[in-house]
Amino acid sequence: MASTTNSATASGPGHGANSVFVRQFNERVILAALRRMERASKAELARVASLTNNATGVIVQALERAGLVQQLGKKRDGGRGQPATVLALDPDGAYAIGIRLDRGSLETVLVDFAGKPLARRTHTLDLPPPERTLEIVVRDVAQIAAMLAPDKLDRLVGIGVAAPYDLGAWLDKLSLPADFGRWNGFDVAGALSAATGLDVVMENDGTAATVAELFYGQGRHLDDFLYLFLGSAIGGGVVVGGQYLRGPRGNAGDVGMMPVPASRLASAPKVERSWDILLSRASINALIRHLRFRGIPVQGLGDVAAAAASAPAALEEWLADCTEALVGPVLAAAAVLDLPVVVLDGDLDPSLLGPLAERLALRLAAEVPEARTAPRILLGTFGEDAGAVGAASLPFHLNFSPHAAILTGRHADVWDDRSRSDGDRRDDTRGDPT
């Protein structure tokens, strides 16, 4: 398995072990800097990582020997002396498999260390019961892993799974069949690890998509943003200071639960409380529900764009309702966290997502309080691939990012925390700053 240097256990307790943990942490700081900068010289990395040139040079050499960093050539920085060597992550340094489980689709991808999807398997369908879904996923994982050359299989660091933590909930609001209730309490990570023999890490689907955007998208240029992903439901995540926020239960950025007024659409479910929740109005399932209410046949995610294009009046009604539903939650998040940017992505066709982004930007500008500036709206990078690429990024994050737990030798605890079942997460109140 590819990893940064990992000899802490051989050093034993004491100062020797501490120095190993510090070295490992600094290696990961360099890798994180390269991921964000894409390419850089040793001097540039030293400045970003706040390390000496000599220490950076030693670390880079170790990472090159481990096959995680490669030289791209030389460039002249404009100063005197020899041209600087340009460095980048080696795409073949590590691989991960990402799986996105959504209520209306199932996707598995193989991703290299630079974040490039190399192969995928996609199924557009109402998510089957857990046992049948596991059969499909295990088959897809085996087919994708077989595409790696034998000498690269030991660089497959694990599987990431992105899924709503409450797949079996909100069935009425999302107009889903009762069979989805079988997902409540099902240990996806444990079952998949047992079936494949690989390490499996699981994360909320909105958080995983946020990680993809942070690692390989707008996050390369932004330190602070709210990420929104419009899928069958709506999910999201929060990035502050270049780090994504997870929360003690893994639900930070769970915008779908934010309270909103009830929809005025005739197709919307009746609300029995004073407030509805955002996922009931801002979701592709809400669009599908409204199109069907207007007599437009829609089978699922695959034909939403064509169905919406055939019914511009119904689409206009949903766009207006969805936009109005988003305004309050976005302004609330911006006010609480001082976020200047919203990155909007989703399973929606770009012909639908673009107009929604434009409408939202106009409504935010009209409703932002005095003496405040409305957050900018940017489109996301990955579209329907965001969840799966984000899922594949999770093993990279745990194996190669500079977690504070490394400095105390408790890195394995981070893996354990991310691999627990849905029910364990809901009951857990332990915080995790990483």
Side-chain angles (χ1 to χ4, degrees):
M1 177 180 292
S3 177
T4 50
T5 54
N6 207 359
S7 57
T9 55
S11 300
H15 296 294
N18 290 338
S19 66
V20 170
F21 297 148
V22 171
R23 185 179 73 244
Q24 189 177 17
F25 182 84
N26 287 336
E27 287 173 345
R28 295 182 179 211
V29 169
I30 294 296
L31 289 173
L34 266 181
R35 176 176 288 114
R36 190 168 198 190
M37 300 167 72
E38 297 189 68
R39 54 187 63 196
S41 67
K42 292 178 185 177
E44 289 168 334
L45 289 172
R47 287 194 294 271
V48 170
S50 298
L51 296 170
T52 65
N53 288 340
N54 182 61
T56 301
V58 171
I59 290 172
V60 166
Q61 287 179 357
L63 294 175
E64 287 183 279
R65 289 194 300 270
L68 298 173
V69 169
Q70 63 177 342
Q71 297 184 14
L72 297 182
K74 302 280 189 177
K75 75 168 184 178
R76 186 172 293 280
D77 291 329
R80 298 179 179 178
Q82 296 295 319
T85 300
V86 180
L87 304 165
L89 297 180
D90 189 333
D92 293 324
Y95 302 90
I97 291 174
I99 298 166
R100 180 194 177 196
L101 303 180
D102 190 49
R103 296 174 176 92
S105 63
L106 171 62
E107 184 179 8
T108 302
V109 299
L110 174 68
V111 174
D112 69 19
F113 198 39
K116 179 182 178 182
L118 303 177
R120 63 168 49 80
R121 297 288 185 273
T122 303
H123 308 272
T124 301
L125 76 177
D126 286 342
L127 195 65
E131 296 77 13
R132 174 57 182 152
T133 297
L134 186 65
E135 292 176 3
I136 296 172
V137 169
V138 170
R139 182 192 65 209
D140 290 349
V141 167
Q143 291 176 350
I144 283 181
M147 300 177 68
L148 286 174
D151 63 332
K152 294 181 179 179
L153 276 174
D154 66 342
R155 292 186 172 268
L156 182 59
V157 297
I159 297 174
V161 179
Y165 283 165
D166 301 292
L167 268 171
W170 323 115
L171 303 185
D172 290 340
K173 292 185 178 297
L174 294 171
S175 302
L176 293 169
D179 280 355
F180 273 86
R182 294 176 61 181
W183 282 94
N184 288 331
F186 183 74
D187 184 3
V188 178
L192 187 57
S193 181
T196 63
L198 295 169
D199 289 333
V200 178
V201 54
M202 187 168 178
E203 192 60 273
N204 177 283
D205 56 339
T207 301
T210 304
V211 172
E213 197 65 45
L214 173 63
F215 276 12
Y216 307 114
Q218 301 283 8
R220 282 177 160 162
H221 313 288
L222 299 172
D223 283 334
D224 306 277
F225 60 91
L226 173 67
Y227 179 84
L228 300 177
F229 188 91
L230 204 71
S232 297
I234 185 170
V238 179
V239 173
V240 175
Q243 301 289 328
Y244 78 92
L245 302 184
R246 184 170 184 269
R249 297 179 181 86
N251 287 319
D254 189 9
V255 294
M257 297 297 101
M258 295 188 76
V260 295
S263 170
R264 290 190 290 270
L265 293 179
S267 60
K270 183 178 180 181
V271 178
E272 298 179 354
R273 300 182 181 184
S274 300
W275 295 85
D276 204 346
I277 53 176
L278 183 61
L279 66 79
S280 182
R281 297 177 61 184
S283 67
I284 296 179
N285 274 24
L287 172 57
I288 292 174
R289 180 178 63 218
H290 190 62
L291 290 171
R292 289 172 177 168
F293 180 84
R294 292 301 187 198
I296 311 301
V298 187
Q299 296 301 316
L301 290 176
D303 58 347
V304 167
S310 72
L315 174 61
E316 169 63 29
E317 290 169 345
W318 176 80
L319 280 171
D321 190 71
C322 180
T323 302
E324 288 301 315
L326 285 167
V327 169
V330 167
L331 288 178
V336 171
L337 297 169
D338 195 21
L339 298 172
V341 173
V342 174
V343 178
L344 180 64
D345 210 344
D347 289 320
L348 272 178
D349 187 90
S351 65
L352 301 177
L353 193 65
L356 178 61
E358 293 171 3
R359 286 168 174 262
L360 181 57
L362 291 173
R363 292 296 295 125
L364 291 174
E367 298 294 342
V368 67
E370 180 182 359
R372 292 294 180 265
T373 301
R376 288 188 297 143
I377 307 296
L378 300 178
L379 290 177
T381 306
F382 294 100
E384 62 184 3
D385 285 340
V389 172
S393 301
L394 298 174
F396 291 153
H397 176 62
L398 292 181
N399 280 284
F400 303 108
S401 290
H403 310 288
I406 294 171
L407 296 174
T408 59
R410 294 181 59 250
H411 180 234
D413 294 346
V414 181
W415 259 107
D416 291 341
D417 182 58
R418 300 299 196 276
S419 302
R420 288 174 294 136
S421 68
D422 183 13
D424 290 339
R425 280 188 183 86
R426 268 198 298 271
D427 295 336
D428 191 3
T429 56
R430 292 179 300 170
D432 180 2
T434 62

